Amino acid sequence: MLEVNNVGIVFGGLVALDQVNMKVKKGEIHGLIGPNGSGKTTLINVITGFYVPTSGEVKFNGNVISGKSPHLISHAGLGRTFQNINLFPEMSALENVVTARCVHTNYNMLDAVFKTKPFKEQEAEARDKAISQLEFVGLQDDLNTKAKNLPYGKRRLLEIARLLATDPQLVLLDEPVAGMNEQESDEVARIVHKMRDVGGRTILLIEHHMKFVMNLCEQLTVLNSGCVIAEGVPEEIQNNQEVIACYLGKRR
Ligand SMILES: Nc1ncnc2c1ncn2[C@@H]1O[C@H](COP(=O)(O)OP(=O)(O)OP(=O)(O)O)[C@@H](O)[C@H]1O
Ligand SMILES: [Mg+2]
């Protein structure tokens, strides 16, 4: 589904990604791990069009997407969350999810000003879908709570509901359980499984929480200093000497 081919990116003199290759298969839960500053978020930014790679290309379902705008890439079926929470704090949970759906509405400004039939129909549909996405992540009792008043763990779940609003085939999650307790991260693991098993989505996630990654992911790619140093199933990665030396050794 996703192919990263020889991707490189240079910021000033810093080589943040160097000849990176990665494949994510349809229906897989794939983890991207590596030490701080190894290029994980940068790679997600390249895949989702926030950065244009200096070299190489990214293909999604066989089509080159690198160089396209984040909006077009989102429309093609990729949805992401950010490492730092990225919500509208003064809006309710429901409003946050409804606004995320605007990528899929096709009424124009006049429809909105005059509240025409297509506008009202699409608004109603967006609201119904948003409610079901909030139910999916367990926020059905918080529809009208302002995002800023939700506890941290629920704000992160709201971000997942927001990304589901665009109905992505491929979901990219940047540290979805950072700062969560064990019970909260178990809940996120359950939701990620459900996204794949019920929603039929493919998942690529970055995470430092090793128990979460090793239990949840079926395939892993390891970055170090902008280079892929290992790929394989969790058991192989846990026993890879280079990965242990540069990363896992410090995290056990
Ligand atoms: N826009 C940018 N301009 C300059 N340097 C950048 C930019 N974005 C990322 N970098 C640099 O690229 C390198 C990789 O950063 P990145 O954020 O991708 O790491 P990461 O693996 O996500 O780390 P962490 O686990 O801490 O989130 C770092 O040295 C970072 O400072
Ligand atoms: Mg990062």
Side-chain angles (χ1 to χ4, degrees):
M1 175 177 261
L2 182 76
E3 260 181 70
V4 174
N5 294 325
N6 293 317
V7 160
I9 190 163
V10 182
F11 297 116
L14 176 95
V15 180
L17 294 174
D18 187 12
Q19 300 269 309
V20 169
N21 289 294
M22 179 175 71
K23 282 192 169 67
V24 179
K25 291 198 190 113
K26 188 169 176 354
E28 188 169 76
I29 301 178
H30 194 116
L32 180 60
I33 63 172
N36 294 114
S38 56
K40 304 180 298 296
T41 298
T42 303
L43 183 54
I44 298 276
N45 283 334
V46 168
I47 294 168
T48 51
F50 287 81
Y51 294 157
V52 177
T54 317
S55 56
E57 63 176 18
V58 181
K59 283 186 174 174
F60 179 60
N61 289 332
N63 302 313
V64 175
I65 55 166
S66 39
K68 296 208 163 122
S69 71
H71 180 78
L72 279 177
I73 292 176
S74 162
H75 223 267
L78 280 85
R80 70 174 294 185
T81 61
F82 293 84
Q83 188 163 355
N84 299 312
I85 287 181
N86 196 29
L87 296 166
F88 296 111
E90 295 295 333
M91 284 187 182
S92 70
L94 182 57
E95 287 162 342
N96 264 283
V97 182
V98 169
T99 51
R101 241 194 99 69
C102 68
V103 68
H104 277 267
T105 51
N106 57 7
Y107 51 76
N108 61 36
M109 201 172 78
L110 287 178
D111 286 326
V113 170
F114 294 108
K115 298 208 180 335
T116 60
K117 199 164 168 243
F119 172 81
K120 282 190 185 152
E121 280 170 4
Q122 289 189 42
E123 283 295 291
E125 192 198 331
R127 198 184 138 84
D128 289 349
K129 287 239 165 86
I131 293 172
S132 63
Q133 272 118 20
L134 285 157
E135 281 169 356
F136 189 89
V137 301
L139 292 181
Q140 61 281 350
D141 297 333
D142 301 286
L143 300 186
N144 298 315
T145 309
K146 281 187 180 180
K148 69 172 187 187
N149 294 332
L150 289 171
Y152 173 79
K154 286 190 173 182
R155 272 185 280 147
R156 299 227 69 149
L157 294 177
L158 177 54
E159 290 207 302
I160 294 178
R162 255 179 78 84
L163 93 85
L164 292 177
T166 62
D167 197 20
Q169 294 170 47
L170 175 63
V171 170
L172 301 109
L173 304 169
D174 196 345
E175 302 199 22
V177 303
M180 286 189 177
N181 63 35
E182 230 33 30
Q183 199 186 343
E184 289 168 326
S185 61
D186 286 350
E187 180 57 17
V188 174
R190 209 180 55 76
I191 290 168
V192 170
H193 256 292
K194 206 166 55 152
M195 279 199 258
R196 197 271 303 274
D197 298 342
V198 180
R201 303 182 206 280
T202 304
I203 321 287
L204 173 63
L205 63 91
I206 296 175
E207 195 36 78
H208 286 292
H209 185 318
M210 276 310 121
K211 190 171 149 233
F212 177 86
V213 167
M214 297 299 172
N215 286 338
L216 183 61
C217 296
E218 295 144 352
Q219 191 71 20
L220 294 173
T221 300
V222 190
L223 278 179
N224 188 32
S225 304
C227 299
V228 174
I229 57 160
E231 52 196 341
V233 299
E235 202 184 3
E236 288 170 309
I237 298 300
Q238 276 170 305
N239 295 311
N240 180 302
Q241 288 311 313
E242 194 179 353
V243 178
I244 292 169
C246 86
Y247 186 50
L248 290 182
K250 298 173 203 154
R251 293 195 164 264
R252 273 180 174 170

